[in-house]
Amino acid sequence: MLQIAGLLLMMLGLYGLLTNRNVIKIILALNILEIGLNIFIISIGFVRGGEAPIFSSETTSNALVYVDPLPQALVLTAIVIGVGTTALGLAFAKQIYAKYHTFELDEMGEE
Amino acid sequence: MKKVLALVFVLVLGALIMNHLNDNNLFAGFGDAMLENRVSQSYIDRDATENNDGVVFDESLDLESGAANTVTAIVADYRSFDTLGEVTVLFISSFGVALLLGQSKKRIALEFKPNFMLKIGSRALFAVILMTGVFVSIHGHLTPGGGFPGGAMIASSMLLLYLADDEFRAKMRGFKILESVMGVFYIILGLAGLMITGFFLENFLDNGALGTLFSAGMIPIVYIIIGLKVGSEISSVIDHFLSEEGA
Amino acid sequence: MLINVLEIIVSILLLLLAFLALSSKSLIKSVMFLSSLSMLSVVAFVLMKAPDVALTEAVIGSGLVTSLFVFTLLATRKVGQKQ
């Protein structure tokens, strides 16, 4: 169920990315796409009844059933890169506002 | 018209992905992933390069990767070179923000005047959040977390000081020096691995017993480096976002 | 069984919040919906047994990214008042 939700979230974000004409909304849609994709990638490695992939005093041996740790490591990377791209995009948005005094792409161009 | 085209494109894409998920041997359905067919099982068993006879918490000595948290073992040991690239991406993005917003010097004034109690209280809370960030960074090989959320917590403690005090301005020069020094340390650690074991960023320290604080070789060192580097990068991004045009 | 019901509720709420974030007219409301979407995705990550990702998303996704969006909107509002 969460796999399909992640996929739909990704589609929703892509649709928002294609149709919106506001810079902030575009970056926001990119964030929604990213969250959906992260949920989808994690769901690929999910095992029902599996343990979180951490050895502890409760889960002591490698013979137990664990959730796939590799997608989690990849998503950990993706989230941190996501905040970098969002920060850079918002810096561009700030500069665009300083120049054109609007976020709407359709209202730019004169000045 | 454009909206209809976008909708059709998105729906076709989604239908394609769902169709291929349904009849695919590599991707099992939600919740039925088979780890035996994937490389991930050998990350859990710690036998990616050589066989070993099982992992036992608190007893296994000198495993291939000594972190109790398997995700950390992948991020900071098996795929450490990948993480070096990721930290570089974050550095370039903070560099880009500094380039775009760096010319403005004055910080944005707050709408309200923070009173004395708010300033002192936020100082006390700052210490608590900072210590949580450092704790999460240091215990990355034992508990969930690690350098990335730890660094982000350090940055959010700086954010708290910025929000609670309208005249506060961190010494950005110090952060920049810290960030560069940590980046250089990461590369030096990798080169030391290259000299001693023959592979870049290979672990060359003693792994210790699985699950103790002083274990996992260089993973805690790598995560402290990453925590400080990410923390200073995001702090400088926040500082640039809170400054405005003008004198 | 309880987990299944929880998964369905979280999925529906995720889609609802994403739709609200994209369709809301006010930018600051959109940003707040994005923040709560991040917070809810933390629950999804915990349900899928990924505590590392959940912790990272809780700090970065719903804390720092939201503050960056809000700072961008805050700075532009100041510029607008000067005119």
Side-chain angles (χ1 to χ4, degrees):
Chain A
M1 187 63 208
L2 278 170
Q3 190 168 33
I4 296 170
L7 204 56
L8 287 176
L9 216 57
M10 197 188 95
M11 285 161 65
L12 211 58
L14 192 59
Y15 177 74
L17 195 64
L18 288 173
T19 52
N20 271 311
R21 303 289 292 161
N22 185 312
V23 181
I24 298 280
K25 276 283 180 71
I26 288 173
I27 301 170
L28 206 128
L30 202 62
N31 265 290
I32 292 177
L33 198 157
E34 190 193 307
I35 291 172
L37 209 52
N38 287 345
I39 291 178
F40 181 70
I41 294 176
I42 294 274
S43 78
I44 286 172
F46 180 58
V47 183
R48 209 168 274 286
E51 300 282 344
I54 299 170
F55 295 113
S56 67
S57 48
E58 305 272 311
T59 54
T60 48
S61 120
N62 64 338
L64 297 167
V65 178
Y66 288 100
V67 170
D68 195 343
L70 187 59
Q72 300 189 11
L74 298 181
V75 167
L76 199 66
T77 310
I79 288 177
V80 180
I81 289 186
V83 72
T85 50
T86 306
L88 198 57
L90 286 173
F92 272 116
K94 230 174 145 178
Q95 289 297 91
I96 285 172
Y97 195 92
K99 181 150 192 226
Y100 293 105
H101 301 293
T102 177
F103 280 132
E104 301 288 337
L105 288 174
D106 293 333
E107 296 167 16
M108 293 171 196
E110 59 270 18
E111 162 130 33
Chain B
M1 185 58 203
K2 212 177 143 229
K3 286 195 174 174
V4 176
L5 265 180
L7 191 65
V8 168
F9 174 69
V10 167
L11 284 180
V12 166
L13 189 76
L16 274 178
I17 296 175
M18 278 205 195
N19 187 25
H20 281 266
L21 276 179
N22 279 335
D23 50 345
N24 196 328
N25 294 326
L26 292 173
F27 290 110
F30 180 59
D32 315 316
M34 299 292 284
L35 260 66
E36 292 80 34
N37 306 334
R38 301 182 182 178
V39 69
S40 315
Q41 188 62 46
S42 45
Y43 287 139
I44 292 175
D45 295 340
R46 309 292 158 87
D47 59 355
T49 54
E50 60 202 33
N51 284 324
N52 71 346
D53 31 302
V55 179
V56 182
F57 183 73
D58 226 354
E59 284 176 23
S60 297
L61 290 166
D62 270 337
L63 290 162
E64 191 178 85
S65 170
N69 186 342
T70 313
V71 179
T72 302
I74 294 173
V75 169
D77 198 347
Y78 287 111
R79 303 177 65 95
S80 197
F81 190 57
D82 196 6
T83 308
L84 178 62
E86 176 196 359
V87 171
T88 313
V89 168
L90 200 61
F91 166 70
I92 290 172
S93 107
S94 92
F95 183 69
V97 171
L99 206 63
L100 282 171
L101 303 176
Q103 68 270 41
S104 46
K105 287 277 184 275
K106 202 167 122 280
R107 65 157 288 179
I108 291 178
L110 295 174
E111 286 279 292
F112 59 94
K113 270 272 166 250
N115 60 16
F116 179 72
M117 281 308 286
L118 182 62
K119 280 183 192 174
I120 300 299
S122 65
R123 289 275 159 86
L125 208 55
F126 163 77
V128 175
I129 297 177
L130 190 70
M131 286 321 290
T132 313
V134 173
F135 177 89
V136 167
S137 295
I138 292 175
H139 286 71
H141 57 300
L142 301 176
T143 54
F148 296 112
M153 278 178 201
I154 294 172
S156 25
S157 64
M158 296 305 295
L159 175 64
L160 179 72
L161 279 192
Y162 270 96
L163 288 184
D165 191 343
D166 56 348
E167 279 154 14
F168 179 78
R169 196 78 201 259
K171 300 259 188 304
M172 273 306 122
R173 208 178 152 71
F175 275 122
K176 290 206 171 81
I177 292 171
L178 183 70
E179 183 196 335
S180 318
V181 167
M182 285 302 146
V184 171
F185 271 176
Y186 201 171
I187 305 237
I188 287 175
L189 211 58
L191 288 177
L194 184 66
M195 299 256 249
I196 295 170
T197 65
F199 296 100
F200 189 64
L201 279 169
E202 174 89 14
N203 184 13
F204 56 90
L205 295 172
D206 186 24
N207 264 331
L210 183 84
T212 48
L213 181 58
F214 293 101
S215 68
M218 64 180 212
I219 288 179
I221 303 172
V222 167
Y223 255 177
I224 290 167
I225 288 174
I226 289 175
L228 288 175
K229 192 164 163 59
V230 170
S232 48
E233 270 160 4
I234 299 182
S235 300
S236 79
V237 166
I238 286 172
D239 179 74
H240 285 306
F241 265 87
L242 270 175
S243 55
E244 64 183 341
E245 300 284 327
Chain C
M1 194 58 221
L2 180 71
I3 297 289
N4 270 328
V5 175
L6 211 58
E7 274 175 13
I8 290 170
I9 293 172
V10 168
S11 306
I12 291 170
L13 277 178
L14 277 173
L15 291 173
L16 189 70
L17 280 173
F19 180 75
L20 282 175
L22 282 176
S23 65
S24 171
K25 289 280 172 234
S26 148
L27 284 179
I28 191 81
K29 273 184 191 164
S30 287
V31 171
M32 286 302 128
F33 281 129
L34 179 73
S35 174
S36 39
L37 174 67
S38 287
M39 214 65 228
L40 205 66
S41 77
V42 173
V43 178
F45 288 138
V46 170
L47 284 179
M48 289 189 287
K49 299 284 170 65
D52 288 85
V53 182
L55 193 59
T56 313
E57 176 77 32
V59 178
I60 289 180
S62 47
L64 289 171
V65 169
T66 311
S67 69
L68 290 184
F69 271 108
V70 170
F71 291 157
T72 310
L73 295 179
L74 200 72
T76 56
R77 187 187 45 114
K78 291 275 173 161
V79 173
Q81 278 176 354
K82 266 180 204 162
Q83 286 183 330

